[in-house]
Amino acid sequence: PQATAALQGLDRSTPGGEGIVMRTVGDDLILGGDRPRGTLYAVFTFLEDVVGCRWWTAEAEQAPQRPTLEVDALDVVYRPPLEYRCLYGEGTLRHPTFAAKLRLNGRDWAEPIPEDWGGSMTMGGGHTLLRELLPPDRYFEEHRDWYAYRADAGERVASQVCFTNPGAIAAAADAVCDLLEQNHATTGTVSVSPADNLGYCRCEQCRALATLEGSEAGPLLHFVNAVAERVEERYPDVWISTLAYWGTERPPRHVRPRRNVVPVFAMLNRNHALGPRGTPRFIPYLQTWAQISPKLYVWDYYAHFGNFILPHPNHLPVGEYVRSYAANGIAGFMAQMGHGSLAEFCHLREWVLAHLLWDPSLDERELTRRFLEGYYGDAAPYLLEYLALIHRAVTRRPGTFLGVYDNTTAHWFAYDDVDRATVLFDRAQAAVAEDPTLLRRLRRTRAGLDLVWIQRYRSLRREALSRGVPFRGPDDPYGAVERFAEVGSEFGCSCWKEWDGFGHLVEHLRRLYPRPAPAPPRCEGLPPGQWWDIQENMLELQPEGATSLVDDAAAADGRAARLAVASDGPRGFHQPDEGEIAFAVPQAVRGLAGTGHQGLTGRWQVYVVARVEATEAVQAGAHTGIYAPHELVRRAIPGGEAGTYHTVDLGVHDLGPGARVWVMPSAGEAVQAIYVDRMFLVAQ
């Protein structure tokens, strides 16, 4: 009877209900809640808030060691404001029971939470119309009128669905019902949402509707409403979700989401370093969608899609966003987080955001401090200062825009800030030097800063030299790449951005810097920032099959790029085509001036070190030169002297975007192979 009385006021039959009760009644402790997850969450809340247990990550947990547990009087009744809470991130994605401990119940694109752990919900996914419901490879040839009309080409294309086509509406509704017929017991929401592009239909009807509604969301909502009406006839308890995203984020003027339609508000293109008011349209759009919808979900972004590993200072505004969503009565929230085990502060992000979704009134700064102290120990003060540092770095200069597809930090992370960040991580590691577990956690967390030094090594080193300040970056950038690769291997990093494996990043970084080799005589005594060594591993090798990297004792670093010259291969004194160039500076290195991220501006004297293997002495066994984009210079490379490399001076040139330093075979049947040891450039 006491337990029954203590649970009064909770609707334990409401689907998705998650209210909790924690009460002491006499000597009894009562933990309970709504079905299906309320009681489970009451237990986790009690263990965390009262007992002091911590679930920092799926592998790192803490529980206080006490001989007895004394509980003061409790009288807590709480219902979370969000019915759906999902973090699509490294830890919560891979570990469903860990997500349950953080009181997350959403599992789109992930293994469901087991039923004995409370089960889970979905919002139906996203971008489903072309992926799942009306896939073009199945329907396009027979039903071209279902797909977007491209006005400039005067034809239908499979970029989007035609939202005013009756056949497309009927087919999409049938596809949803077919899906529900197989999965109705576990599916409460189905997504009917456009593809991830702006290729909307420009047929007369769609264009007129978009103009009337003042947004591409107009034609989309008319389409989704029509589908939802048909689905409701067979499945009245199912919600149909769709995306207010990119081209459809602006609310329509007239049409309203039907009673069984839940829009998912997703504003990707905003300044992610600032809170909601940093993007003027954010609050008005959110408020309007909330007002016109029977309920509203949010799809948010805390990942840096351009590179999950790089520093991405959007940690501090997270509380402002969650509170703005809660204040406008949204019903559900999903956030895309960084993937891969080296994703920047991935565990901190998940832990803080999960707690804010459960209770938006919490202080994100206090949550951040609590996590850092619990997970990193005595290193926490330095990491707190680091997070504040990078936030100041991106917000102190008006007009700095932090997007989610940047592939560099150069536009916001100045040299002095990178330098200070390095000092802070050094001090953090020194503070926990005697604790292998904490040092290992810091090594993983530092990978993002290490990557900044690797990516921007040349520009940062040149700035340090020009200013006469200490350079805290790596002395050997190639070695730094190898250490970075080792960290990725140690932690099993699977990716560095969407749809691309970590190994591809390492391969790219290895092409940016040579293995250590003696400086050419011309460069002996020059400061590192005054010359640039381009070794064989950095060269673009063409044609495929005839070119390779080989051991060569005569080369500066013991390796060279080799072209086996076929008797019928490209020869002769002419402008080389792309497929005929044996070796060239690759695209990542080619844009020497004006690109910023390499810092190689101004004029350069260019040298090529190569040799020609021939059956007899030849004066011009190969040629080397520069196109930028027209021919600037061409020089001959003699051949026939076994193992002898020649250093060819191509002169002083301005090498802007698109410049190519190349080597290719010349006329003469005696030539058998060409070897390139290195190319090097000296600043003028």
Side-chain angles (χ1 to χ4, degrees), residues 78-111:
Y78 179 74
R79 184 185 297 275
L82 304 180
E83 68 178 21
Y84 169 87
R85 302 175 303 281
C86 176
L87 299 184
Y88 189 61
E90 179 65 18
T92 54
L93 176 67
R94 298 181 184 277
H95 303 282
T97 56
F98 173 62
K101 291 177 182 179
L102 293 184
R103 289 156 292 188
L104 300 169
N105 59 20
R107 298 299 288 173
D108 283 86
W109 310 286
E111 178 187 351

Side-chain angles (χ1 to χ4, degrees), residues 180-264:
L180 288 169
E181 185 174 352
Q182 303 172 36
N183 303 292
H184 182 220
T186 58
T187 302
T189 305
V190 178
S191 175
V192 178
S193 51
D196 194 1
N197 63 62
L198 296 175
Y200 300 108
C201 182
R202 291 294 179 263
C203 74
E204 183 177 346
Q205 293 84 357
C206 285
R207 193 169 64 248
L209 200 50
T211 301
L212 174 68
E213 297 285 359
S215 169
E216 294 294 344
L220 172 64
L221 264 187
H222 280 274
F223 180 92
V224 172
N225 283 348
V227 171
E229 183 176 10
R230 291 171 179 248
V231 172
E232 187 183 40
E233 295 175 1
R234 293 177 57 184
Y235 300 99
D237 58 335
V238 169
W239 287 88
I240 302 299
S241 66
T242 194
L243 288 175
Y245 161 77
W246 208 358
T248 61
E249 70 177 21
R250 179 194 293 271
R253 294 189 184 120
H254 307 292
V255 66
R256 298 294 181 256
R258 203 172 179 278
R259 61 176 175 265
N260 59 335
V261 171
V262 52
V264 181

